[in-house]
Amino acid sequence: MFGWLKKKDRNQSAAFDLYTAMVTQARQPVFYSKLGVADTLEGRFDLILVHAFILFRRLKTENGDKDLAQKVFDVMFADLDQNMREMGIGDVGILKRIRKMSESYHGRIVAYEEGVQSGAAELAAALSRNLYADTEVRDEQLMALVGYVHDALSMLEKQPVSEIQNGDVRFPAVPVPAVTAN
């Protein structure tokens, strides 16, 4: 009789698990220590958005789960809201920041999608403009991240959607770029 409620709870639980997996992956220290992502609130937020792009691109395919993508999106912004409240930001400030973050999210998703479709140079440019906006990044760091995004997209494309619907998503190992002499 309450099967719809169990499905709703399972979907919400999967959305939370997927969001947690994105954040956990985005917090891998190698992104900051070796790939040059700024270890700041903005850098961490932008890296979460890169992982959101990767996951949502998979969920929005023909054999994906768009409803689950929306639930993960909702969990992500609810968590951002909660984090700002814990930092002491008031309701009006949160509203403005969430609106700005949402606009940032949408702009980045479009830029990354265009970059993936157009080639490595375009994806590198999109990552440079967004993820590395206020950071000096070496070419080998940027290209390692481009490779990581492509590897992650490929990995998720091969992962059965049923596993993702159960809250299990796997990301590839974070690459360590080769150091070149200047």
Side-chain angles (χ1 to χ4, degrees):
M1 181 169 152
F2 293 105
W4 62 271
L5 185 59
K6 286 183 182 179
K7 183 179 181 187
K8 183 178 179 182
D9 290 345
R10 186 173 57 241
N11 286 344
Q12 191 64 29
S13 177
F16 181 79
D17 290 346
L18 293 171
Y19 173 68
T20 301
M22 285 186 340
V23 170
T24 299
Q25 184 69 8
R27 288 188 176 164
Q28 295 295 315
V30 69
F31 282 116
Y32 307 96
S33 65
K34 301 293 183 187
L35 293 181
V37 176
D39 194 3
T40 62
L41 287 174
E42 292 81 11
R44 288 174 180 243
F45 172 71
D46 276 315
L47 196 53
I48 290 170
L49 293 186
V50 168
H51 287 88
F53 162 72
I54 293 165
L55 177 63
F56 294 162
R57 190 169 196 265
R58 171 63 175 98
L59 288 173
K60 291 185 177 187
T61 61
E62 187 175 312
N63 64 342
D65 189 332
K66 293 177 184 172
D67 291 336
L68 182 55
Q70 182 62 52
K71 286 182 178 26
V72 175
F73 177 87
D74 294 344
V75 168
M76 179 171 65
F77 276 88
D79 184 57
L80 294 170
D81 180 284
Q82 181 63 34
N83 286 329
M84 285 187 275
R85 289 182 190 286
E86 289 174 3
M87 292 187 307
I89 299 170
D91 287 341
V92 174
I94 289 173
L95 182 61
K96 289 178 184 177
R97 288 179 182 184
I98 290 289
R99 185 177 299 126
K100 185 176 179 184
M101 288 175 169
S102 180
E103 290 168 1
S104 295
Y105 160 79
H106 291 292
R108 281 158 176 75
I109 295 299
V110 169
Y112 298 151
E113 183 62 39
E114 289 173 356
V116 166
Q117 291 182 11
S118 299
E122 287 79 5
L123 180 56
L127 290 166
S128 182
R129 275 191 318 272
N130 295 298
L131 182 62
Y132 293 109
D134 300 323
T135 307
E136 291 289 323
V137 61
R138 297 187 323 267
D139 287 342
E140 61 269 14
Q141 291 171 312
L142 184 57
M143 294 316 293
L145 193 61
V146 167
Y148 170 81
V149 169
H150 283 291
D151 290 348
L153 290 170
S154 178
M155 189 174 199
L156 265 68
E157 185 178 301
K158 294 173 187 166
Q159 186 175 358
V161 73
S162 60
E163 291 178 2
I164 299 171
Q165 288 169 323
N166 285 324
D168 179 27
V169 63
R170 292 181 296 277
F171 294 100
V174 183
V176 177
V179 178
T180 57
N182 289 337

